[in-house]
Amino acid sequence: ARVQLELPEKFSFVTELTVRASDLNYGNHVGHDRILTLMQEARIDYYRTLGFKNELNFEGAVGQVIADVAVQYKSESFLADVLIIKIGVSDFSKYGFDMYFLIENKMTGKEIARGKTGIVCFDYDIRKVARIPEDLRQKLQS
């Protein structure tokens, strides 16, 4: 069976990224692995708008690790395409949450991909799973 991702009803962040030559594979379209990189870039942009400098330091040494990922590829994307990436967050636990991505071609409106990352907070000083910092939770849920 193929992976099927149900997206959240609400997206709390939208950004645009342009497809670069380094995103292309030998098929001359965006490579499957590069979709994950585009999701990461969008996630970093989102965190910055929330006031966090990076994914390694939400509070003290508490940052994040990716626990799981799923991607559903819908259509091709090519060099210089402008992609709209929407992010929604849900399924909070005391240690993490899921972040959902909808990637669309800005000019055609065509859906390129959808993805989900399971994010777990992690204390990099003691190398263990950590509770979600309250500041992060509040900003993600607002």
Side-chain angles (χ1 to χ4, degrees):
R2 300 260 184 240
V3 170
Q4 298 292 321
L5 291 174
E6 292 297 322
L7 297 173
E9 291 181 20
K10 175 185 153 201
F11 291 98
S12 47
F13 179 74
V14 178
T15 192
E16 292 182 7
L17 295 173
T18 302
V19 175
R20 304 158 301 180
S22 61
D23 295 324
L24 305 180
N25 63 16
Y26 57 85
N28 207 31
H29 55 227
V30 174
H32 69 281
D33 57 325
R34 300 308 291 178
I35 294 292
L36 294 173
T37 302
L38 292 165
M39 288 166 49
Q40 179 182 21
E41 291 291 333
R43 185 176 62 244
I44 290 168
D45 286 351
Y46 182 30
Y47 286 146
R48 284 187 183 140
T49 67
L50 296 176
F52 301 105
K53 290 181 183 178
N54 60 53
E55 300 174 314
L56 299 177
N57 185 353
F58 297 131
E59 179 182 272
V62 176
Q64 73 161 42
V65 293
I66 302 298
D68 56 65
V69 65
V71 178
Q72 204 177 347
Y73 304 96
K74 298 289 199 167
S75 62
E76 294 178 294
S77 186
F78 303 98
L79 182 64
D81 282 353
V82 176
L83 302 177
I84 295 177
I85 303 176
K86 299 175 183 177
I87 297 177
V89 183
S90 65
D91 302 323
F92 285 86
S93 73
K94 55 183 175 175
Y95 300 110
F97 50 91
D98 287 337
M99 190 172 282
Y100 292 86
F101 301 82
L102 174 60
I103 304 173
E104 300 170 312
N105 183 302
K106 184 177 181 177
M107 187 162 55
T108 67
K110 212 173 200 185
E111 186 175 342
I112 303 302
R114 49 179 68 185
K116 180 198 86 75
T117 54
I119 295 174
V120 174
C121 290
F122 189 80
D123 187 319
Y124 281 91
D125 281 348
I126 61 173
R127 312 303 291 180
K128 291 189 180 201
V129 171
R131 293 180 85 81
I132 299 174
E134 195 54 38
D135 186 39
L136 174 64
R137 179 190 293 275
Q138 286 178 3
K139 288 178 177 180
L140 291 172
Q141 290 181 323
S142 64

